[in-house]
Amino acid sequence: MTPEEQLIQQYFDAFNRHDLDGVVACFHEEAVLVGPNGKRLVGLAEVRRSYETEFALFPDAHCDLRVCTGNDGCGVAESFFSGTHGRRGRIEAIGAEVMEIVDGKIKEIRDHHQPAPAKAA
């Protein structure tokens, strides 16, 4: 595994444990999160607040890491997200997170998750 792939695995492991400090530790001090809708969150305080909110809204949130590759300061992870939202019920999404990695930390994540297709009966 490359250092980038190890960082991505560390990030997903912390997310799946709902380890807020572990997730935030994966991020660069100048972190940026870009959501599928283009909304940008800038800085470690915003990153922390975003994951804290996600863990509260989805107490069973889990991301199954399906593909992970990274090298030369770039990384891509495809994952399947699942979680139960108190008002909206079960949510499933699939997509990629494209990452910029600087000094061994995630500087930017561009999230491209979309609702997962309904399973055939």
Side-chain angles (χ1 to χ4, degrees):
M1 271 186 154
T2 68
E4 290 86 354
E5 292 165 346
Q6 290 173 5
L7 176 62
I8 293 167
Q9 184 67 61
Q10 176 185 342
Y11 162 72
F12 273 83
D13 289 346
F15 180 92
N16 287 330
R17 289 190 313 270
H18 292 212
D19 176 358
L20 184 59
D21 290 333
V23 169
V24 174
C26 293
F27 282 88
H28 190 274
E29 62 187 27
E30 297 174 6
V32 176
L33 296 177
V34 182
N37 61 359
K39 181 178 177 182
R40 294 173 59 86
L41 301 175
V42 179
L44 283 178
E46 289 296 315
V47 167
R48 175 177 284 280
R49 193 172 3 266
S50 176
Y51 286 99
E52 188 173 46
T53 300
E54 186 170 3
F55 293 153
L57 290 174
F58 296 92
D60 61 346
H62 183 83
C63 272
D64 178 28
L65 182 58
R66 297 200 166 164
V67 175
C68 170
T69 187
N71 209 349
D72 295 329
C74 297
V76 177
E78 182 187 57
S79 66
F80 181 82
F81 171 86
S82 61
T84 307
H85 186 280
R87 286 181 257 158
R88 296 183 1 209
R90 188 80 174 156
I91 303 291
E92 295 182 340
I94 191 164
E97 292 173 314
V98 179
M99 301 178 192
E100 178 184 343
I101 299 168
V102 174
D103 298 329
K105 301 282 187 174
I106 300 167
K107 184 166 182 190
E108 182 169 304
I109 291 181
R110 293 180 300 281
D111 186 350
H112 298 279
H113 279 79
Q114 298 295 319
K119 296 176 183 170

